Amino acid sequence: MALYSEKVMDHFRNPRNVGVIEDANGVGEVGNVKCGDIMKMYLKIENDVVEDVKFETFGCGSAIASSSMATELIKGQPLEKVKELTNKAVVEALDGLPTHKIHCSVLAEEAINAAIDDYEQHKDENR
Ligand code: FES
């Protein structure tokens, strides 16, 4: 069996939603100290729905595939549902990742949570 699923290879080669959202209202950046990979998520949230999402990942192929798949899973989704996204769901959507690459999908979950935290902090400030 190939080490990486076709979906992982597809999202690694043609990552969806790469880039920056200039007027994002939630931005989260996380890193893994062990491998040094960094992931940054930009969210544009309107009426508690993730209207747009983009990412920049400086990292391995699994991190790129995980961020790409995660953006696909949350785009257009209500915030409450997005908060429930786990790295497990990302791995399942990718048809699996090798065990030593699971932490790459954790980065995607963490980056989205960090972006939501950023959004909620600023939302409170504006009240
Ligand atoms: Fe660290 Fe993939 S090796 S995110």
PDB file of all heavy atoms in Angstrom, residues 32 34-39 57-64 100-105 107, ligand 1:
ATOM      1  N   ASN A  32       4.872  23.687  15.217  1.00  0.00           N
ATOM      2  CA  ASN A  32       5.266  22.503  15.966  1.00  0.00           C
ATOM      3  C   ASN A  32       6.765  22.625  16.244  1.00  0.00           C
ATOM      4  O   ASN A  32       7.561  22.705  15.311  1.00  0.00           O
ATOM      5  CB  ASN A  32       4.954  21.250  15.140  1.00  0.00           C
ATOM      6  CG  ASN A  32       5.327  19.978  15.881  1.00  0.00           C
ATOM      7  OD1 ASN A  32       6.485  19.762  16.211  1.00  0.00           O
ATOM      8  ND2 ASN A  32       4.347  19.131  16.139  1.00  0.00           N
ATOM      9  N   LYS A  34       8.890  20.575  17.352  1.00  0.00           N
ATOM     10  CA  LYS A  34       9.738  19.430  16.988  1.00  0.00           C
ATOM     11  C   LYS A  34      10.180  19.483  15.535  1.00  0.00           C
ATOM     12  O   LYS A  34      11.346  19.338  15.210  1.00  0.00           O
ATOM     13  CB  LYS A  34       8.999  18.122  17.245  1.00  0.00           C
ATOM     14  CG  LYS A  34       9.212  17.616  18.650  1.00  0.00           C
ATOM     15  CD  LYS A  34       8.805  16.161  18.732  1.00  0.00           C
ATOM     16  CE  LYS A  34       8.928  15.679  20.164  1.00  0.00           C
ATOM     17  NZ  LYS A  34       8.115  14.508  20.394  1.00  0.00           N
ATOM     18  N   CYS A  35       9.203  19.691  14.640  1.00  0.00           N
ATOM     19  CA  CYS A  35       9.561  19.661  13.215  1.00  0.00           C
ATOM     20  C   CYS A  35       9.786  21.059  12.662  1.00  0.00           C
ATOM     21  O   CYS A  35      10.339  21.212  11.573  1.00  0.00           O
ATOM     22  CB  CYS A  35       8.482  18.940  12.402  1.00  0.00           C
ATOM     23  SG  CYS A  35       6.904  19.778  12.451  1.00  0.00           S
ATOM     24  N   GLY A  36       9.343  22.090  13.395  1.00  0.00           N
ATOM     25  CA  GLY A  36       9.576  23.466  12.943  1.00  0.00           C
ATOM     26  C   GLY A  36       8.570  23.952  11.913  1.00  0.00           C
ATOM     27  O   GLY A  36       8.722  25.048  11.365  1.00  0.00           O
ATOM     28  N   ASP A  37       7.542  23.142  11.634  1.00  0.00           N
ATOM     29  CA  ASP A  37       6.554  23.553  10.631  1.00  0.00           C
ATOM     30  C   ASP A  37       5.602  24.610  11.207  1.00  0.00           C
ATOM     31  O   ASP A  37       5.292  24.594  12.393  1.00  0.00           O
ATOM     32  CB  ASP A  37       5.752  22.338  10.152  1.00  0.00           C
ATOM     33  CG  ASP A  37       6.617  21.395   9.320  1.00  0.00           C
ATOM     34  OD1 ASP A  37       7.789  21.730   9.110  1.00  0.00           O
ATOM     35  OD2 ASP A  37       6.115  20.351   8.895  1.00  0.00           O
ATOM     36  N   ILE A  38       5.171  25.506  10.325  1.00  0.00           N
ATOM     37  CA  ILE A  38       4.312  26.618  10.743  1.00  0.00           C
ATOM     38  C   ILE A  38       3.086  26.678   9.844  1.00  0.00           C
ATOM     39  O   ILE A  38       3.191  26.483   8.624  1.00  0.00           O
ATOM     40  CB  ILE A  38       5.074  27.967  10.638  1.00  0.00           C
ATOM     41  CG1 ILE A  38       6.275  27.969  11.580  1.00  0.00           C
ATOM     42  CG2 ILE A  38       4.158  29.142  10.975  1.00  0.00           C
ATOM     43  CD1 ILE A  38       7.231  29.108  11.318  1.00  0.00           C
ATOM     44  N   MET A  39       1.932  26.950  10.466  1.00  0.00           N
ATOM     45  CA  MET A  39       0.686  27.051   9.701  1.00  0.00           C
ATOM     46  C   MET A  39      -0.067  28.311  10.124  1.00  0.00           C
ATOM     47  O   MET A  39      -0.166  28.594  11.322  1.00  0.00           O
ATOM     48  CB  MET A  39      -0.157  25.823   9.994  1.00  0.00           C
ATOM     49  CG  MET A  39      -1.285  25.586   9.035  1.00  0.00           C
ATOM     50  SD  MET A  39      -2.195  24.106   9.526  1.00  0.00           S
ATOM     51  CE  MET A  39      -1.110  22.784   9.037  1.00  0.00           C
ATOM     52  N   THR A  57       1.082  27.606   4.697  1.00  0.00           N
ATOM     53  CA  THR A  57       1.771  26.582   5.486  1.00  0.00           C
ATOM     54  C   THR A  57       3.209  26.454   5.042  1.00  0.00           C
ATOM     55  O   THR A  57       3.485  26.249   3.862  1.00  0.00           O
ATOM     56  CB  THR A  57       1.054  25.218   5.358  1.00  0.00           C
ATOM     57  OG1 THR A  57      -0.215  25.310   6.010  1.00  0.00           O
ATOM     58  CG2 THR A  57       1.849  24.099   6.014  1.00  0.00           C
ATOM     59  N   PHE A  58       4.096  26.644   5.996  1.00  0.00           N
ATOM     60  CA  PHE A  58       5.504  26.414   5.757  1.00  0.00           C
ATOM     61  C   PHE A  58       5.802  25.094   6.426  1.00  0.00           C
ATOM     62  O   PHE A  58       6.037  25.030   7.635  1.00  0.00           O
ATOM     63  CB  PHE A  58       6.328  27.555   6.379  1.00  0.00           C
ATOM     64  CG  PHE A  58       7.797  27.419   6.134  1.00  0.00           C
ATOM     65  CD1 PHE A  58       8.349  27.779   4.915  1.00  0.00           C
ATOM     66  CD2 PHE A  58       8.623  26.930   7.122  1.00  0.00           C
ATOM     67  CE1 PHE A  58       9.703  27.634   4.690  1.00  0.00           C
ATOM     68  CE2 PHE A  58       9.987  26.787   6.900  1.00  0.00           C
ATOM     69  CZ  PHE A  58      10.524  27.140   5.680  1.00  0.00           C
ATOM     70  N   GLY A  59       5.666  24.036   5.655  1.00  0.00           N
ATOM     71  CA  GLY A  59       5.826  22.743   6.315  1.00  0.00           C
ATOM     72  C   GLY A  59       5.807  21.580   5.346  1.00  0.00           C
ATOM     73  O   GLY A  59       5.917  21.748   4.133  1.00  0.00           O
ATOM     74  N   CYS A  60       5.640  20.408   5.902  1.00  0.00           N
ATOM     75  CA  CYS A  60       5.733  19.171   5.132  1.00  0.00           C
ATOM     76  C   CYS A  60       4.487  18.964   4.265  1.00  0.00           C
ATOM     77  O   CYS A  60       3.485  19.674   4.405  1.00  0.00           O
ATOM     78  CB  CYS A  60       5.886  17.997   6.084  1.00  0.00           C
ATOM     79  SG  CYS A  60       4.379  17.642   6.955  1.00  0.00           S
ATOM     80  N   GLY A  61       4.550  17.969   3.417  1.00  0.00           N
ATOM     81  CA  GLY A  61       3.443  17.680   2.518  1.00  0.00           C
ATOM     82  C   GLY A  61       2.167  17.331   3.255  1.00  0.00           C
ATOM     83  O   GLY A  61       1.073  17.734   2.847  1.00  0.00           O
ATOM     84  N   SER A  62       2.287  16.605   4.359  1.00  0.00           N
ATOM     85  CA  SER A  62       1.090  16.242   5.130  1.00  0.00           C
ATOM     86  C   SER A  62       0.462  17.464   5.782  1.00  0.00           C
ATOM     87  O   SER A  62      -0.757  17.545   5.917  1.00  0.00           O
ATOM     88  CB  SER A  62       1.439  15.240   6.231  1.00  0.00           C
ATOM     89  OG  SER A  62       1.946  14.072   5.652  1.00  0.00           O
ATOM     90  N   ALA A  63       1.291  18.415   6.179  1.00  0.00           N
ATOM     91  CA  ALA A  63       0.761  19.646   6.776  1.00  0.00           C
ATOM     92  C   ALA A  63       0.025  20.456   5.706  1.00  0.00           C
ATOM     93  O   ALA A  63      -1.041  21.022   5.966  1.00  0.00           O
ATOM     94  CB  ALA A  63       1.891  20.471   7.385  1.00  0.00           C
ATOM     95  N   ILE A  64       0.572  20.493   4.520  1.00  0.00           N
ATOM     96  CA  ILE A  64      -0.081  21.220   3.417  1.00  0.00           C
ATOM     97  C   ILE A  64      -1.402  20.543   3.058  1.00  0.00           C
ATOM     98  O   ILE A  64      -2.442  21.193   2.942  1.00  0.00           O
ATOM     99  CB  ILE A  64       0.865  21.313   2.196  1.00  0.00           C
ATOM    100  CG1 ILE A  64       2.047  22.220   2.550  1.00  0.00           C
ATOM    101  CG2 ILE A  64       0.124  21.810   0.953  1.00  0.00           C
ATOM    102  CD1 ILE A  64       3.188  22.198   1.561  1.00  0.00           C
ATOM    103  N   HIS A 100       3.173   8.579  12.082  1.00  0.00           N
ATOM    104  CA  HIS A 100       4.147   9.616  12.451  1.00  0.00           C
ATOM    105  C   HIS A 100       3.839  10.960  11.794  1.00  0.00           C
ATOM    106  O   HIS A 100       4.574  11.925  11.971  1.00  0.00           O
ATOM    107  CB  HIS A 100       5.574   9.161  12.120  1.00  0.00           C
ATOM    108  CG  HIS A 100       5.849   9.011  10.660  1.00  0.00           C
ATOM    109  ND1 HIS A 100       5.334   7.990   9.900  1.00  0.00           N
ATOM    110  CD2 HIS A 100       6.569   9.777   9.810  1.00  0.00           C
ATOM    111  CE1 HIS A 100       5.739   8.126   8.647  1.00  0.00           C
ATOM    112  NE2 HIS A 100       6.478   9.201   8.558  1.00  0.00           N
ATOM    113  N   LYS A 101       2.742  11.010  11.018  1.00  0.00           N
ATOM    114  CA  LYS A 101       2.352  12.272  10.386  1.00  0.00           C
ATOM    115  C   LYS A 101       1.030  12.823  10.944  1.00  0.00           C
ATOM    116  O   LYS A 101       0.510  13.817  10.450  1.00  0.00           O
ATOM    117  CB  LYS A 101       2.206  12.065   8.863  1.00  0.00           C
ATOM    118  CG  LYS A 101       3.544  11.908   8.168  1.00  0.00           C
ATOM    119  CD  LYS A 101       4.234  13.252   8.108  1.00  0.00           C
ATOM    120  CE  LYS A 101       5.599  13.162   7.467  1.00  0.00           C
ATOM    121  NZ  LYS A 101       6.294  14.452   7.478  1.00  0.00           N
ATOM    122  N   ILE A 102       0.508  12.166  11.957  1.00  0.00           N
ATOM    123  CA  ILE A 102      -0.761  12.623  12.542  1.00  0.00           C
ATOM    124  C   ILE A 102      -0.610  14.035  13.109  1.00  0.00           C
ATOM    125  O   ILE A 102      -1.525  14.857  13.037  1.00  0.00           O
ATOM    126  CB  ILE A 102      -1.244  11.632  13.640  1.00  0.00           C
ATOM    127  CG1 ILE A 102      -1.579  10.264  13.024  1.00  0.00           C
ATOM    128  CG2 ILE A 102      -2.455  12.192  14.396  1.00  0.00           C
ATOM    129  CD1 ILE A 102      -2.751  10.225  12.073  1.00  0.00           C
ATOM    130  N   HIS A 103       0.558  14.334  13.663  1.00  0.00           N
ATOM    131  CA  HIS A 103       0.736  15.668  14.266  1.00  0.00           C
ATOM    132  C   HIS A 103       0.549  16.787  13.238  1.00  0.00           C
ATOM    133  O   HIS A 103       0.223  17.904  13.602  1.00  0.00           O
ATOM    134  CB  HIS A 103       2.104  15.781  14.966  1.00  0.00           C
ATOM    135  CG  HIS A 103       3.245  16.046  14.045  1.00  0.00           C
ATOM    136  ND1 HIS A 103       3.985  15.044  13.456  1.00  0.00           N
ATOM    137  CD2 HIS A 103       3.763  17.210  13.588  1.00  0.00           C
ATOM    138  CE1 HIS A 103       4.918  15.594  12.691  1.00  0.00           C
ATOM    139  NE2 HIS A 103       4.816  16.900  12.745  1.00  0.00           N
ATOM    140  N   CYS A 104       0.742  16.488  11.974  1.00  0.00           N
ATOM    141  CA  CYS A 104       0.570  17.503  10.926  1.00  0.00           C
ATOM    142  C   CYS A 104      -0.911  17.927  10.854  1.00  0.00           C
ATOM    143  O   CYS A 104      -1.217  19.104  10.646  1.00  0.00           O
ATOM    144  CB  CYS A 104       1.021  16.960   9.587  1.00  0.00           C
ATOM    145  SG  CYS A 104       2.582  16.061   9.649  1.00  0.00           S
ATOM    146  N   SER A 105      -1.797  16.949  11.043  1.00  0.00           N
ATOM    147  CA  SER A 105      -3.229  17.271  11.014  1.00  0.00           C
ATOM    148  C   SER A 105      -3.637  18.018  12.282  1.00  0.00           C
ATOM    149  O   SER A 105      -4.570  18.822  12.264  1.00  0.00           O
ATOM    150  CB  SER A 105      -4.064  15.993  10.862  1.00  0.00           C
ATOM    151  OG  SER A 105      -3.916  15.168  11.997  1.00  0.00           O
ATOM    152  N   LEU A 107      -1.896  20.277  13.662  1.00  0.00           N
ATOM    153  CA  LEU A 107      -1.592  21.689  13.380  1.00  0.00           C
ATOM    154  C   LEU A 107      -2.787  22.384  12.731  1.00  0.00           C
ATOM    155  O   LEU A 107      -3.086  23.533  13.046  1.00  0.00           O
ATOM    156  CB  LEU A 107      -0.394  21.802  12.420  1.00  0.00           C
ATOM    157  CG  LEU A 107       1.013  21.914  12.991  1.00  0.00           C
ATOM    158  CD1 LEU A 107       1.983  22.262  11.878  1.00  0.00           C
ATOM    159  CD2 LEU A 107       1.107  22.941  14.100  1.00  0.00           C
TER     160      LEU A 107
HETATM  161 FE1  FES B   1       5.595  18.605  11.217  1.00  0.00          FE
HETATM  162 FE2  FES B   1       4.350  17.632   9.179  1.00  0.00          FE
HETATM  163  S1  FES B   1       6.315  17.050   9.860  1.00  0.00           S
HETATM  164  S2  FES B   1       3.744  19.295  10.409  1.00  0.00           S
END
